[in-house]
Amino acid sequence: MWRDILGGFRADVLECIDAGEYVIAPTRMRGRPPGGDTEVVLDEVYVSKFRNGKIVELREYRTKAEALEAVGLSE
């Protein structure tokens, strides 16, 4: 969906944190709205749960602290 509304969309994974059966990935997304000169930047943190090498659950959080807490860890 982001690619459809933001020109030049890109998502950069800033870090990967191994949390056992989870991987926590703070991510920065950016792009420009149609006709806009200002770049939109959005930071989100994705928590992926793996089973047999495949993602079986994906959650998103606004902060790294929230994501870590969700899997029982802290900063």
Side-chain angles (χ1 to χ4, degrees):
M1 181 174 134
W2 287 108
R3 289 182 196 275
D4 296 336
I5 57 176
L6 294 176
F9 175 82
R10 75 184 256 191
D12 297 310
V13 175
L14 305 174
E15 178 182 12
C16 283
I17 301 165
D18 181 351
E21 66 183 337
Y22 297 96
V23 172
I24 299 168
T27 305
R28 176 165 289 147
M29 295 174 284
R30 59 182 71 221
R32 296 188 190 285
D37 292 330
T38 304
E39 184 174 60
V40 174
V41 178
L42 175 64
D43 290 334
E44 291 191 323
V45 183
Y46 293 95
V47 175
S48 304
K49 182 176 183 178
F50 287 82
R51 187 175 301 129
N52 298 323
K54 296 182 180 182
I55 295 174
V56 295
E57 182 181 330
L58 178 67
R59 294 181 268 163
E60 58 187 73
Y61 296 90
R62 300 297 288 152
T63 68
K64 182 177 170 182
E66 290 173 339
L68 288 167
E69 184 178 325
V71 299
L73 300 174
S74 62
E75 283 192 271

